[in-house]
Amino acid sequence: EAGVAQSPRYKIIEKRQSVAFWCNPISGHATLYWYQQILGQGPKLLIQFQNNGVVDDSQLPKDRFSAERLKGVDSTLKIQPAKLEDSAVYLCASSPGGWRGNRGEQFFGPGTRLTVL
Amino acid sequence: AQSVAQPEDQVNVAEGNPLTVKCTYSVSGNPYLFWYVQYPNRGLQFLLKYITGDNLVKGSYGFEAEFNKSQTSFHLKKPSALVSDSALYFCAVRDSEGQNFVFGPGTRLSVLP
């Protein structure tokens, strides 16, 4: 079974530029998550999708971050414009089943390391 | 708001000795508790979870965790540590509605040969 795929693996941009990350979850997984992991900290949930609908985006900085999951499969996270404090690893994860019923085990991708200069 | 605390940034243990990585939590309603491990240059991997039932749950690689409701704790344990267990360990909690996943800050485990 293929795992969660993410691209790119690394990205370096200057502040005020835009950047986009892509995630393809495990086939058949209904729930998809985007996390931000700053060095030395635990992952922070940015947004949670159930199929193509948003379940939780309470911690997503909506003035600069956006995410979509068209057709309920792969997803894109965008930052526009980027700030220095956005430097982090962006993790995508997926879970089988619905967001209420799923038992919470998440399968993580390798992450995208973003450096904002 | 939910929260997770991992009071130790670093835990050192000799190979073959038992290990414990501590976690305490705060959540409204019944907690769903998880442990994940992050090896260098690899993604987060699920170890084990507590949803309901027996307070002692067993997971991957010989790890287990004990849920203690009165102390709001979910400590990770292993009877005999291996050098290969050296990694970053994260405790996480979500509420019973399936939302509000919160990860702790992580504990770095070093198993010394």
Side-chain angles (χ1 to χ4, degrees), chain A residues 17-82:
Chain A
Q17 286 187 322
S18 301
V19 65
F21 313 125
W22 175 82
C23 172
N24 191 27
I26 293 173
S27 178
H29 279 195
T31 308
L32 185 147
Y33 313 81
W34 281 103
Y35 289 89
Q36 180 193 59
Q37 187 176 18
I38 293 172
L39 187 65
Q41 299 181 18
K44 181 181 97 171
L45 180 66
L46 293 176
I47 189 166
Q48 178 180 345
F49 290 96
Q50 168 70 22
N51 295 314
N52 61 348
V54 176
V55 171
D56 182 1
D57 64 355
S58 56
Q59 297 195 90
L60 186 74
K62 298 179 185 65
D63 57 335
R64 297 184 302 107
F65 287 65
S66 64
E68 59 184 11
R69 191 182 183 198
L70 300 177
K71 302 181 182 178
V73 181
D74 56 348
S75 177
T76 302
L77 176 70
K78 296 180 181 178
I79 308 175
Q80 180 179 10

Side-chain angles (χ1 to χ4, degrees), chain A residues 33 35 37 40-43 45 48 55-56 91 99-100 102-106 108-109, chain B residues 32 34 36 38 43-44 46 49 51 88 90 94 96-101 103-105:
Chain A
Y33 313 81
Y35 289 89
Q37 187 176 18
Q41 299 181 18
L45 180 66
Q48 178 180 345
V55 171
D56 182 1
L91 298 167
W99 62 274
R100 277 186 181 270
N102 86 74
R103 296 299 191 166
E105 178 180 351
Q106 299 177 48
F108 283 82
Chain B
Y32 286 36
F34 308 86
Y36 284 81
Q38 191 170 39
L44 278 158
F46 169 81
K49 65 188 176 190
I51 305 297
L88 194 53
F90 292 97
R94 51 155 271 201
S96 56
E97 293 298 305
Q99 293 179 278
N100 301 315
F101 269 94
F103 278 78

Side-chain angles (χ1 to χ4, degrees), chain A residues 105 107, chain B residues 19 35-39 42-48 57-65 76-89 109:
Chain A
E105 178 180 351
F107 297 82
Chain B
L19 70 86
W35 277 101
Y36 284 81
V37 60
Q38 191 170 39
Y39 297 103
R42 292 170 63 180
L44 278 158
Q45 296 178 34
F46 169 81
L47 273 181
L48 51 78
V57 294
K58 296 187 182 297
S60 307
Y61 313 121
F63 283 93
E64 58 189 28
L76 181 70
K77 301 180 180 183
K78 188 173 183 181
S80 179
L82 300 172
V83 172
S84 58
D85 293 330
S86 298
L88 194 53
Y89 290 80
L109 173 67

